[in-house]
Amino acid sequence: MYLRKAREQELEQIYRMGFDAWGNGLSMDAYLEGCRKSAKYQSGAWFVLTVDGQPVASLIVYSGQFGLQEGCFGIGSVATAPEMRYQGFGSQIVRRATQILFEQHGAKAVYLHSDIGHGFYQKLGFSRLQGTNCFCHSYHPRFLQSSVPSYF
Ligand SMILES: CC(C)(COP(=O)(O)OP(=O)(O)OC[C@H]1O[C@@H](n2cnc3c(N)ncnc32)[C@H](O)[C@@H]1OP(=O)(O)O)[C@@H](O)C(=O)NCCC(=O)NCCS
């Protein structure tokens, strides 16, 4: 299992991983077209978790926008390929990406907005920012009381 930056030619496969969650009733073609044109998606850095070189899960990392303070990062669009779910890959990609942001990029805090039950991210060390679906992982307590970045 390996975490790396996604390659351009893997983006369609990545978008497909989240179709059931974010397809909003669109056809696959219309959904993929929206993903390709998404300014938000183009503004982040996509990562994949691979097994035998093949992406099994993906997420996007943002910084410098959405009200994220300097040195803070946002993780979005966490998804595992539907046929690969419930094998720990979703947990692993969040865990590894967060670790890299802290260890290699000096992250002060890592945020995400949860579209799913809260237990998944709490198990990975994230704390819910009071009264929101935004979660924060930080070793600086002040960030756990900080303002909530806008949705990403
Ligand atoms: C959420 C998701 C990334 C989990 O990926 P995965 O590879 O199956 O994750 P893991 O195998 O590490 O963990 C499975 C856990 O996810 C939990 N989970 C999956 N879907 C969930 C949901 N809708 N609500 C709450 N928990 C959920 C399972 O209950 C399971 O928990 P358990 O280990 O306590 O049994 C995957 O279901 C997915 O891609 N969903 C569609 C996109 C999406 O909704 N992403 C989340 C955006 S916040």
Side-chain angles (χ1 to χ4, degrees):
M1 226 186 295
Y2 188 66
L3 180 76
R4 61 164 168 78
K5 274 199 162 185
R7 299 173 181 138
E8 181 76 25
Q9 65 268 29
E10 291 167 339
L11 289 177
E12 178 154 324
Q13 188 183 356
I14 287 169
Y15 301 150
R16 285 177 185 270
M17 291 179 188
F19 176 65
D20 61 336
W22 302 299
N24 287 326
L26 295 171
S27 67
M28 178 63 91
D29 283 349
Y31 163 75
L32 290 174
E33 190 57 17
C35 293
R36 282 183 212 114
K37 287 184 174 159
S38 166
K40 184 172 85 164
Y41 284 176
Q42 285 165 24
S43 73
W46 285 99
F47 286 81
V48 285
L49 186 76
T50 62
V51 173
D52 298 331
Q54 294 306 309
V56 295
S58 58
L59 55 73
I60 192 166
V61 175
Y62 298 108
S63 61
Q65 52 180 333
F66 306 113
L68 291 161
Q69 293 177 46
E70 199 182 336
C72 296
F73 295 86
I75 285 178
S77 303
V78 179
T80 299
E83 69 280 10
M84 302 301 278
R85 291 179 189 171
Y86 294 96
Q87 298 175 60
F89 298 131
S91 304
Q92 278 299 326
I93 192 169
V94 174
R95 204 185 295 280
R96 289 179 188 215
T98 306
Q99 190 179 3
I100 284 176
L101 291 172
F102 281 121
E103 291 178 2
Q104 295 179 20
H105 298 270
K108 293 176 184 159
V110 179
Y111 295 87
L112 57 82
H113 294 279
S114 176
D115 297 336
I116 60 172
H118 295 152
F120 181 73
Y121 293 114
Q122 280 165 336
K123 273 194 207 164
L124 298 172
F126 284 79
S127 302
R128 187 179 181 200
L129 298 182
Q130 205 173 8
T132 72
N133 288 331
C134 186
F135 284 72
C136 179
H137 193 327
S138 179
Y139 300 103
H140 304 282
R142 71 184 168 93
F143 286 101
L144 303 175
Q145 271 93 47
S146 64
S147 59
V148 177
S150 57
Y151 188 82
F152 45 78

